[in-house]
Amino acid sequence: MPTYDWPLIQQRSGESIESLVATLLRREYSGVRQINPSQGDGGIDIFRSTPDGFEVWQVKGFTTAMADSQFRQVKRSWERFMEEHVTPGKDRILCYHLVTPWTPTEERIALFDELTADVSFPCQWDSDAFISGLADRYPETMQRFVRGEGVLEQFISEKAMLASSPVERGESLTMLDAIETRQDALDAIRATVSENYRIEHGTRTVANAHEVPLPADDDPAVYHRMTYLGDSRWKYESVVPRSAIAVEIDPISVSMEFLAAPGTPEYDAVRAWSEWGIPFHNAHVRTTTIGGPFADLEPVESTVSFFERNCDDAPPLYLRCVTSEGESRFRLPLVVVARTVGVRTGWLRLVADTPERALRLELRFKQREGTDAKTQMGNVDGRNPEAVRDELETLLRVSEGDVISVETVNGKSLVRAHGTVLPTALEAIHLPVAQHLVQLQAHTASVLAMPSIEEITDGQCRYLSLLASIYGGTAHHWNWRRVGFQVPEDPAQAARIKDDVKKFSVSAATGGHLTRMDEPVFQLGNRTYTMDHPLVSVLHSVQLEPGLDPAALRPGDTFRLIPGADAGVTTSKLVDWAPGSISFD
């Protein structure tokens, strides 16, 4: 007796049996594909590729005793299969299955064996027991085909009731065990949502609560939904295809209607994305997700952002400079950092940096039109100052009569320009900063790196130039007005300071000098630098502030020194210095 009422199932649709078998096989094996009948099945309804050859299934929806005319259909399918796949020898067949809900009689099996006797691969007739065995392993799939969505809702209700029931605690069941039991029930509900996709879920804690935890490049999921839970925690739900053709059977797409008004920055950003593929962030849209387990019934207003993919597979490009006489000044390799394509136009945009990022080039290619090129200062933040200096000195050799081109590895020019003028800041700011840091590197063990040039202030640039001059051997002369000191709270240190002040008061009466050594610490934009080689500052004439009584000083008191007859100061680097020879503790 059949396990299921196959005639009733068959009445639902002429393709129900084949679709059921294909769905169950996709759940059972990875890589199972169903042939589209409109393209000609060649005697195959379903197949999967294995290292040993193709396993194929021909499904016939015969639910009652097979008539001779029905067996002739089986025979014609077999002959098409032999003619298109076996006789030409183009496909290696591992196994052939004829699948019917009806269980064949011995007579029909004998006819099938006779029909398939001349091939070397095994052939078998799978029937009710085969389909029922698959259905037992995937009951929710079978129930959906047999009884429709109503029984699925009942199944979900039963699982949801278990998941929401109170958590019992006992000697043999811990709280975590009880919670896991209910989580398993919820996972079983998720498994019924889609035949083609499964939903993986969990939570993640991130360092920055405002950054969405983006998936890795090798993540197998095709759709992700992230929900912020607070406290830097995100809930993620990822839609993973159950088979290689899941996205063909049930494709997932997102329909977007952009809501930005013309003339706004947001509208311009969306237009740049449409024309050139330039990423944008937080544009207002009305979206509808079509297909998959997260399909929307109604449009949803939200924001959308696009991110650039990496360019590891970008072809190598080079920046070449040739003089008006045809002599090559340089040929620098370029690092392609962005490659985007306009979603509406197909226009190509390439963004490339010189090796040390001193210069950035943006190339834009319109189909059947010319190429536009733009150069701008790069971001050298974090780069080696010596390498940046060398690259800048190379780039700044360009003169107005030179020809600049971007070319491929075989020398084909993508764009050429005459009389190119580089950004003036490269010579006025970038190069001096790199040169000064290279000079200072010899006077400290710390590894100096280029700062973010855009964040440097004029005052910081002037101080960097001053330090480079002093360490280069030129003493700096300047004037001072006063310097303040505080007596330490520690009694022993306070007594020592008071004793020093008494001794100093003797020489200060005649305008004695004061010497001070420092390890300079200075700021450039986003970076702080420390020099190991000390600087010595000599105050030429120093005296105590009038009215100061050294004996009356107490812990926490402040006192000041002021210039004597000469307010000058000379600052220079300490000569005959070796690392570790002086401690500032």
Side-chain angles (χ1 to χ4, degrees):
M1 180 177 178
T3 308
Y4 294 96
D5 189 346
W6 296 113
L8 178 61
I9 297 175
Q10 179 66 6
Q11 288 177 8
R12 292 177 57 230
S13 171
E15 297 179 1
S16 284
I17 301 300
E18 180 181 333
S19 298
L20 170 61
V21 173
T23 302
L24 290 171
L25 286 173
R26 283 198 299 272
R27 298 291 301 273
E28 182 73 3
Y29 304 108
S30 62
V32 167
R33 299 181 67 89
Q34 185 175 6
I35 301 296
N36 187 343
S38 64
Q39 298 174 349
D41 57 18
I44 297 177
D45 290 324
I46 306 163
F47 76 94
R48 75 181 183 107
S49 177
T50 75
D52 299 319
F54 288 96
E55 184 172 10
V56 301
W57 290 267
Q58 177 67 36
V59 182
K60 298 295 182 183
F62 305 144
T63 60
T64 58
M66 182 181 290
D68 290 342
S69 60
Q70 292 174 324
F71 190 80
R72 285 195 292 271
Q73 294 180 36
V74 172
K75 184 177 180 180
R76 286 194 295 270
S77 294
W78 172 260
E79 290 172 346
R80 289 199 308 274
F81 168 67
M82 290 290 293
E83 179 181 352
E84 297 190 24
H85 301 281
V86 180
T87 302
K90 64 179 182 179
D91 296 324
R92 183 181 179 186
I93 306 302
L94 175 66
C95 184
Y96 177 90
H97 303 263
L98 172 65
V99 183
T100 64
W102 174 69
T103 302
T105 62
E106 293 296 330
E107 291 80 8
R108 291 299 182 188
I109 291 178
L111 289 174
F112 177 74
D113 290 342
E114 180 180 348
L115 177 67
T116 60
D118 294 335
V119 296
S120 59
F121 49 84
C123 300
Q124 63 190 56
W125 192 329
D126 296 325
S127 57
D128 173 69
F130 167 74
I131 304 175
S132 299
L134 289 174
D136 289 343
R137 287 195 285 278
Y138 311 104
E140 68 277 4
T141 297
M142 191 65 190
Q143 289 177 358
R144 180 180 285 122
F145 271 83
V146 174
R147 302 177 187 177
E149 297 295 334
V151 71
L152 180 61
E153 293 176 1
Q154 179 181 352
F155 170 79
I156 292 177
S157 297
E158 293 172 356
K159 293 291 185 180
M161 184 175 298
L162 171 62
S164 62
S165 60
V167 177
E168 306 89 355
R169 298 194 64 177
E171 294 182 358
S172 61
L173 186 66
T174 67
M175 175 68 78
L176 286 178
D177 290 336
I179 293 173
E180 186 172 356
T181 298
R182 280 143 182 80
Q183 185 61 58
D184 290 342
L186 292 173
D187 290 342
I189 296 175
R190 286 188 179 89
T192 66
V193 171
S194 173
E195 304 294 349
N196 297 301
Y197 299 99
R198 65 175 183 269
I199 301 175
E200 296 180 351
H201 65 99
T203 59
R204 289 183 58 186
T205 300
V206 296
N208 189 337
H210 302 291
E211 294 183 1
V212 179
L214 297 177
D217 291 340
D218 59 351
D219 195 307
V222 296
Y223 188 100
H224 302 271
R225 184 164 69 179
M226 310 287 185
T227 305
Y228 185 58
L229 302 177
D231 194 25
S232 300
R233 296 174 62 246
W234 291 80
K235 179 179 72 173
Y236 69 86
E237 297 166 286
S238 301
V239 178
V240 181
R242 294 184 185 271
S243 66
I245 61 170
V247 293
E248 298 177 19
I249 299 170
D250 185 11
I252 299 176
S253 62
V254 179
S255 172
M256 290 186 294
E257 177 189 356
F258 290 95
L259 305 178
T264 63
E266 182 179 311
Y267 180 88
D268 294 338
V270 173
R271 182 175 178 179
W273 167 77
S274 175
E275 293 182 347
W276 296 104
I278 300 175
F280 61 81
H281 300 281
N282 299 327
H284 292 79
V285 294
R286 185 178 292 114
T287 64
T288 304
T289 301
I290 303 167
F294 292 149
D296 296 323
L297 297 178
E298 298 291 338
V300 177
E301 289 196 12
S302 57
T303 60
V304 64
S305 300
F306 281 85
F307 298 89
E308 283 182 332
R309 54 164 294 187
N310 60 50
C311 293
D312 295 338
D313 57 346
L317 298 176
Y318 297 85
L319 179 67
R320 178 185 287 277
C321 176
V322 179
T323 67
S324 56
E325 290 78 21
E327 297 181 0
S328 178
R329 289 196 189 275
F330 59 79
R331 186 175 189 255
L332 293 177
L334 294 174
V335 180
V336 178
V337 296
R339 181 176 58 181
T340 61
V341 178
V343 295
R344 180 177 57 83
T345 62
W347 296 346
L348 173 65
R349 167 180 167 267
L350 291 176
V351 180
D353 289 338
T354 50
E356 297 304 323
R357 302 177 186 170
L359 192 66
R360 168 159 292 190
L361 298 94
E362 182 173 338
L363 310 180
R364 296 192 177 192
F365 304 86
K366 292 184 179 181
Q367 295 175 347
R368 296 180 297 277
E369 296 185 32
T371 301
D372 294 329
K374 180 175 66 175
T375 60
Q376 62 185 49
M377 295 179 297
N379 181 11
V380 295
D381 186 17
R383 308 300 292 182
N384 183 321
E386 185 174 5
V388 172
R389 178 203 63 187
D390 293 345
E391 181 171 285
L392 286 169
E393 290 178 346
T394 297
L395 291 171
L396 291 170
R397 291 164 55 196
V398 176
S399 65
E400 292 188 12
D402 291 345
V403 177
I404 296 290
S405 63
V406 176
E407 61 185 31
T408 61
V409 67
N410 60 5
K412 179 182 178 180
S413 294
L414 301 180
V415 61
R416 296 168 61 91
H418 295 77
T420 301
V421 178
L422 297 179
T424 57
L426 291 180
E427 184 173 10
I429 302 176
H430 289 61
L431 181 58
V433 169
Q435 290 172 331
H436 293 332
L437 289 177
V438 170
Q439 183 179 352
L440 294 179
Q441 182 65 77
H443 302 280
T444 184
S446 302
V447 178
L448 305 184
M450 291 293 293
S452 174
I453 301 294
E454 292 76 11
E455 299 180 28
I456 299 177
T457 66
D458 291 342
Q460 291 172 349
C461 279
R462 288 192 296 270
Y463 187 61
L464 174 64
S465 178
L466 174 62
L467 284 178
S469 175
I470 294 173
Y471 280 104
T474 302
H476 176 56
H477 300 281
W478 52 288
N479 294 325
W480 69 291
R481 296 179 59 187
R482 65 177 64 85
V483 59
F485 296 91
Q486 184 175 25
V487 179
E489 296 289 346
D490 179 78
Q493 294 181 2
R496 186 165 57 250
I497 288 292
K498 291 174 60 177
D499 186 57
D500 290 341
V501 172
K502 290 178 182 179
K503 294 178 181 179
F504 178 75
S505 64
V506 176
S507 62
T510 59
H513 70 272
L514 181 68
T515 301
R516 175 174 176 171
M517 285 193 299
D518 298 288
E519 290 180 328
V521 177
F522 63 98
Q523 188 84 17
L524 286 178
N526 59 328
R527 295 182 179 273
T528 301
Y529 304 83
T530 300
M531 303 299 299
D532 296 334
H533 193 148
L535 294 185
V536 179
S537 295
V538 178
L539 285 69
H540 300 165
S541 176
V542 181
Q543 62 183 2
L544 297 176
E545 190 175 30
L548 175 64
D549 181 5
L553 292 174
R554 297 288 182 270
D557 288 349
T558 60
F559 64 95
R560 293 186 295 184
L561 303 179
I562 60 176
D566 184 354
V569 182
T570 299
T571 300
S572 63
K573 69 178 181 180
L574 183 66
V575 297
D576 298 329
W577 172 83
S581 62
I582 296 178
S583 175
F584 286 84
D585 294 337

